[in-house]
Amino acid sequence: MSDLAHIPAPFRDDIDDVVLTAEQISDRLTELAAEVDRDYAGRELLIVGVLKGAIFVMSDLARRLHVPSSMDFMAVSSYGSATTSSGTVRILKDLDTDIEGQDVLLVEDIVDSGLTLDYLFKNLRSRKPASLEVLSLLTKPSRREVDLPLRYVGFEIPDVFVVGYGLDFAERYRGLSDIVSLKPGIYAS
Ligand code: IMP
């Protein structure tokens, strides 16, 4: 059990444990950015963030990249229960950019069943980018329902519901610096 003293008081009682510290996340993103730099050397990259969960991954990744990159965002909603998605995805905000012919890196916070990303990947591929790869900070392999081409993965985590560092439950906890698990009573009703 981790020391939760640094977690802001209003959230502390809701948290079960720290799954990844801010430092672990930062170190891993530095490694991933170096990999991306190597793979895209001499090219320009369009990084596409999936709102809202990927905001911190996007900003921390972009600041570590040395290859020239531009940014765009999509927002999607995935119908389902509070903590699972159904695969029926609706685009709430589309890209501003035409991605045809561009090298696109889709940036996700977490891949759980994979249904949301499966939809997004196929949708973006149909727009004929020069290349399309996926970076996800987190993945829960035990929950996967579809096979996905995840090029860059930060961490594999067990089947626990996590929040913080952009991830929410009912729009709360996104601003926490660590990724933490919630007490089941908070989200299982
Ligand atoms: P999927 O379609 O099941 O892969 O779900 C992907 C989306 O569900 C993510 O982009 C998150 O918005 C949300 N999600 C899945 N697992 C978690 C979690 O543990 N915490 C917070 N959000 C999650």
Side-chain angles (χ1 to χ4, degrees), residues 172-185:
R172 289 171 67 96
Y173 314 105
R174 287 194 201 276
L176 296 177
S177 308
D178 299 329
I179 291 175
V180 301
S181 55
L182 286 179
K183 290 179 179 158

Side-chain angles (χ1 to χ4, degrees), residues 17-91:
D17 207 356
V18 174
V19 176
L20 294 164
T21 64
E23 191 182 3
Q24 287 174 302
I25 299 166
S26 170
D27 289 350
R28 185 69 186 120
L29 282 175
T30 300
E31 290 173 358
L32 287 180
E35 272 186 55
V36 174
D37 275 338
R38 270 198 303 278
D39 294 347
Y40 290 89
R43 292 193 276 167
E44 292 208 11
L45 196 53
L46 172 65
I47 49 179
V48 171
V50 185
L51 295 173
K52 303 172 194 166
I55 49 172
F56 296 133
V57 192
M58 275 291 272
S59 65
D60 283 341
L61 179 76
R63 283 180 288 182
R64 286 165 171 75
L65 287 177
H66 296 167
V67 288
S69 62
S70 47
M71 286 187 219
D72 205 342
F73 293 93
M74 283 183 88
V76 296
S77 79
S78 174
Y79 295 111
S81 73
T83 59
T84 59
S85 74
S86 64
T88 308
V89 178
R90 196 160 57 101
I91 294 181

Side-chain angles (χ1 to χ4, degrees), residues 12-183:
R12 206 172 298 145
D13 287 347
D14 299 353
I15 288 164
D16 187 35
D17 207 356
V18 174
V19 176
L20 294 164
T21 64
E23 191 182 3
Q24 287 174 302
I25 299 166
S26 170
D27 289 350
R28 185 69 186 120
L29 282 175
T30 300
E31 290 173 358
L32 287 180
E35 272 186 55
V36 174
D37 275 338
R38 270 198 303 278
D39 294 347
Y40 290 89
R43 292 193 276 167
E44 292 208 11
L45 196 53
L46 172 65
I47 49 179
V48 171
V50 185
L51 295 173
K52 303 172 194 166
I55 49 172
F56 296 133
V57 192
M58 275 291 272
S59 65
D60 283 341
L61 179 76
R63 283 180 288 182
R64 286 165 171 75
L65 287 177
H66 296 167
V67 288
S69 62
S70 47
M71 286 187 219
D72 205 342
F73 293 93
M74 283 183 88
V76 296
S77 79
S78 174
Y79 295 111
S81 73
T83 59
T84 59
S85 74
S86 64
T88 308
V89 178
R90 196 160 57 101
I91 294 181
L92 303 176
K93 184 220 170 292
D94 206 343
L95 297 175
D96 298 331
T97 332
D98 177 4
I99 63 170
E100 185 170 348
Q102 299 213 57
D103 288 312
V104 176
L105 180 62
L106 184 61
V107 176
E108 267 280 18
D109 49 356
I110 187 164
V111 181
D112 185 32
S113 70
L115 294 169
T116 307
L117 183 59
D118 188 51
Y119 171 87
L120 271 176
F121 191 85
K122 287 175 179 153
N123 182 294
L124 292 182
R125 203 176 42 194
S126 73
R127 306 182 196 194
K128 301 189 170 44
S131 67
L132 176 62
E133 302 288 355
V134 180
L135 180 151
S136 182
L137 179 65
L138 305 176
T139 174
K140 289 183 194 168
S142 65
R143 303 248 316 165
R144 194 75 86 254
E145 292 177 30
V146 283
D147 204 22
L148 287 168
L150 292 183
R151 178 72 183 81
Y152 309 96
V153 171
F155 302 92
E156 292 192 353
I157 61 166
D159 181 12
V160 287
F161 193 79
V162 290
V163 296
Y165 195 72
L167 290 152
D168 75 308
F169 174 65
E171 294 300 326
R172 289 171 67 96
Y173 314 105
R174 287 194 201 276
L176 296 177
S177 308
D178 299 329
I179 291 175
V180 301
S181 55
L182 286 179
K183 290 179 179 158

